Amino acid sequence: MLQPRIRSLFRWSLVARRAYSTAPQPIKRAPSNEEIRDDDWTFVSGATGKVLPPVPPLTEWPKLYPMKKGIGTSERSYLFNPVAARELVKTYGLEENGHPKIVLETYPGPGVLTRALLTLPRTTLKKLIICEYGKTFHPNLEALAEADDRVHLVKEGAYYWTVYHDLEEQGHFADLPRLNFNEGIHPNFRMVGHLPLNVLAAQWLSQILRAIADRAWMYVYGRVPIHLLVPEPQWLRVSAPPLSKDRCKLSVIAQANADFNLTLPPDYLRPYNSYFYPRGHDVTTKKLRDSAVGNNMMAVNFIPKAEPIITSADSDEWDFLTRQLFVNKTLSLEKSISYLAPGASILLDHVTDPKLPLEAQIPIKTPIRGLTVEQWRSLANAFSKWPFKPDNIKALTTDEWKEIELGRK
């Protein structure tokens, strides 16, 4: 039997998850593949007023963009529906506050979403930096760069943190102000794109959300919103409430550092095959692997918290604790604590201290996946003060990540 307090937390967390999953307002469903009109495929540059180079016909995509390892097309999905792409761009709110934006787009593939972005006027979209390592996509994207001078193509993937450093060195962000987190959402900078389907993409998302605590990478400029098309299994992990089977390290890091929501209703981009390429299996008839083509895609908006719960001073502790304890996430804290280090059970005295605020106290029978973010903070505080904590908890540094060959698919 679950303790009454844990049952109460579970009921509350289900409500919270529904809140995360609610789009701001109802939006009419985009036309499916069969309903798209010919003129829907025409995109006009908001900078030049001229028609942009066309998207290759869908019938040619299997030949132009085959699903093969080694050329940057495997384990990826691309939005091909032009009406949905335009609607998605509206949800980004790029025209808000009247400031022209620099947008960093990751993994655009054939560039349907890219073209929708380029329909924005120069007063809204100042520069579009595209990161795409798939060689088969480069000719199509290079044509866009020739047609619209706001486009800057970087033939690398967003996995590689050196890309961000190189963009800085090349002066692409020279005009961006560096703001403190308490100065609001950054008025001039956004990241958008597709999240690939593989394990490396999940690691990249985790690193992006962890970087909020350290004010690293794009967050050196402040609270930069990120708008991503995310496979549904990853969204379920990000938004998983305490006690959910999907609760994991990513859930805790995301909920501690960022506010997030779906910018389009969950059903807007369903079924998958009507909006995305390549064609996949029907998830209503067959359960798919998390990395399989065919999982529904969710439009997710991430905004760094003004005061992230994880700080640069204790981010290594959080990383170590979540990494170690989620190995056995169904076990109770009482049984899992020994996985941290010999003698770690002494920490139980600190996290059950009745002097702590009620929301920070942790009943020792609570399963690891049942811990709230506030309880994780309580555990991290106790662990950081423990004189016998292991010496080797520090996560890889930015420079060390740069040296890792992440393997291009």
Side-chain angles (χ1 to χ4, degrees), residues 321-335:
L321 290 171
T322 52
R323 185 173 66 245
Q324 293 295 109
L325 294 180
F326 268 111
V327 171
N328 296 285
K329 65 180 182 179
T330 60
L331 294 182
S332 67
L333 178 63
E334 180 184 34
K335 294 182 178 179

Side-chain angles (χ1 to χ4, degrees), residues 31 38 113 131 165 181 212 235 244 277 293 303:
D38 289 342
L113 181 59
C131 291
H165 175 74
F181 269 36
I212 294 172
W235 163 248
S244 164
Y277 174 87
V293 172
I303 298 180

Side-chain angles (χ1 to χ4, degrees), residues 168 173 176-179 186 189 217-223:
E168 282 188 313
F173 304 144
L176 288 176
R178 297 198 177 205
L179 305 177
H186 202 290
F189 195 15
W217 301 311
M218 74 287 294
Y219 303 117
V220 299
Y221 296 99
R223 295 171 62 201

Side-chain angles (χ1 to χ4, degrees), residues 29-38 40-41 58 80-83 270-276 279:
R29 182 184 66 84
S32 65
N33 182 25
E34 299 76 16
E35 300 167 330
I36 297 174
R37 301 174 305 179
D38 289 342
D40 289 332
W41 291 103
L58 287 176
F80 70 72
N81 188 297
V83 179
R270 298 178 181 175
Y272 169 93
N273 286 330
S274 291
Y275 300 94
F276 293 91
R279 292 187 63 83

